[in-house]
Amino acid sequence: MKRVFGVKKDKEPPPSINDASDRITKRGDTVEDKIKKLDAELARYREQLKKTRPGPAQEAIKARAMRVLKQKRMYEGQRDMLYNQTFNLDQVAFAAEGIKDAQQTMSALKSANKELKGMMKTVKIQDIDNLQDEMMDLMDVSNEIQETLGRSYSVPDDIDEEELMGELDALEADMGMETESDGVPAYLQPDKEPNLEEELNLPPAPTGHAPVPPGRANAQGEDELGLPAVPHASLRG
């Protein structure tokens, strides 16, 4: 039967966008190489036209240059057409890649949504609220414990406002007397010994021989035995 009807050939898979783009790009590169060769040939003809005098030889060079220029224009048209095809294929490939990315994104979102739903079943808002209330109660109890442990056992609680104001006035009076001994309070300064001369208003003791008035030189110069008289101190005031 196979010999009569033959064997069905397997169809080749259609070319992908990347395969078609690569093939067209290679064709465009081949055409571009031909255009470059024609440009080099035209440059050679131009140099020959500069060196050739007007006449049949120059006209022949112009004819060859015109033929090469026509070929160049044809290849340039093919190159532009191939580049347009490549551009269209690139646009299609870009759109196809965008669709694939969107599909992957949707698949990832569906998986994440399913996972979130499963996690939400184990977490309830009411449980969170109850946990927050319990934490607030525990914090209040902890603050009460800290305040209880921080109480002082020796601080009196029966001080009234008048006693407080009297204590503040006494402290202010003591601070006002701190200017004598480099800012040391008066109650911390050492006690000073009383000065008897200042209290009795006595004159200071003489430090040398005072001049004797002329009228009293003989009267107080000697005593009854002929010795120098001793001055007597007298209290004044």
Side-chain angles (χ1 to χ4, degrees):
M1 296 295 294
K2 290 182 180 180
R3 294 179 180 178
V4 176
F5 297 100
V7 180
K8 186 178 180 180
K9 296 181 179 179
D10 296 334
K11 292 183 178 180
E12 295 181 358
S16 62
I17 296 177
N18 292 329
D19 295 339
S21 179
D22 294 339
R23 183 171 179 276
I24 294 174
T25 301
K26 290 179 180 179
R27 287 182 58 192
D29 294 339
T30 302
V31 174
E32 185 69 26
D33 293 336
K34 292 180 179 181
I35 292 173
K36 290 180 180 179
K37 291 179 180 180
L38 294 176
D39 288 336
E41 190 173 355
L42 286 174
R44 187 173 67 254
Y45 288 151
R46 184 181 59 184
E47 294 297 329
Q48 291 177 2
L49 288 173
K50 290 180 181 180
K51 299 177 181 179
T52 306
R53 295 180 180 180
Q58 191 179 43
E59 293 298 329
I61 295 174
K62 286 182 180 181
R64 289 195 295 270
M66 186 64 66
R67 185 177 64 255
V68 172
L69 182 60
K70 290 180 180 180
Q71 292 179 358
K72 178 183 176 183
R73 292 288 184 266
M74 181 187 64
Y75 286 132
E76 287 178 349
Q78 293 180 0
R79 181 193 61 186
D80 295 339
M81 181 181 63
L82 293 173
Y83 284 168
N84 290 333
Q85 293 178 6
T86 304
F87 177 76
N88 293 333
L89 289 174
D90 291 339
Q91 292 294 324
V92 173
F94 181 79
E97 291 296 330
I99 296 299
K100 291 181 181 179
D101 294 339
Q103 291 177 349
Q104 292 180 357
T105 303
M106 288 297 298
S107 178
L109 288 175
K110 289 180 180 179
S111 177
N113 188 19
K114 183 178 180 181
E115 186 176 358
L116 284 174
K117 287 182 179 179
M119 295 173 63
M120 287 299 178
K121 292 180 181 179
T122 60
V123 179
K124 297 181 180 180
I125 301 298
Q126 186 64 34
D127 295 339
I128 297 176
D129 293 337
N130 295 334
L131 180 62
Q132 291 289 339
D133 294 338
E134 291 180 1
M135 291 298 296
M136 293 295 294
D137 295 338
L138 291 175
M139 292 300 295
D140 293 338
V141 173
S142 176
N143 292 332
E144 292 179 0
I145 293 174
Q146 296 296 327
E147 291 178 359
T148 302
L149 294 176
R151 291 177 182 175
S152 178
Y153 301 102
S154 61
V155 177
D157 296 332
D158 55 350
I159 299 177
D160 56 2
E161 185 177 356
E162 293 181 357
E163 187 176 357
L164 174 62
M165 296 304 297
E167 186 70 21
L168 293 177
D169 293 338
L171 289 175
E172 184 178 1
D174 291 339
M175 292 176 65
M177 299 175 64
E178 294 178 359
T179 59
E180 295 184 359
S181 300
D182 297 333
V184 180
Y187 60 85
L188 295 180
Q189 296 180 5
D191 297 334
K192 295 182 179 179
E193 296 181 358
N195 193 345
L196 297 178
E197 293 182 356
E198 293 180 358
E199 293 181 358
L200 299 177
N201 292 327
L202 296 178
T207 58
H209 296 286
V212 181
R216 300 178 62 184
N218 295 330
Q220 295 181 357
E222 297 179 357
D223 56 4
E224 297 175 356
L225 299 178
L227 298 176
V230 178
H232 297 281
S234 61
L235 299 175
R236 296 180 182 179

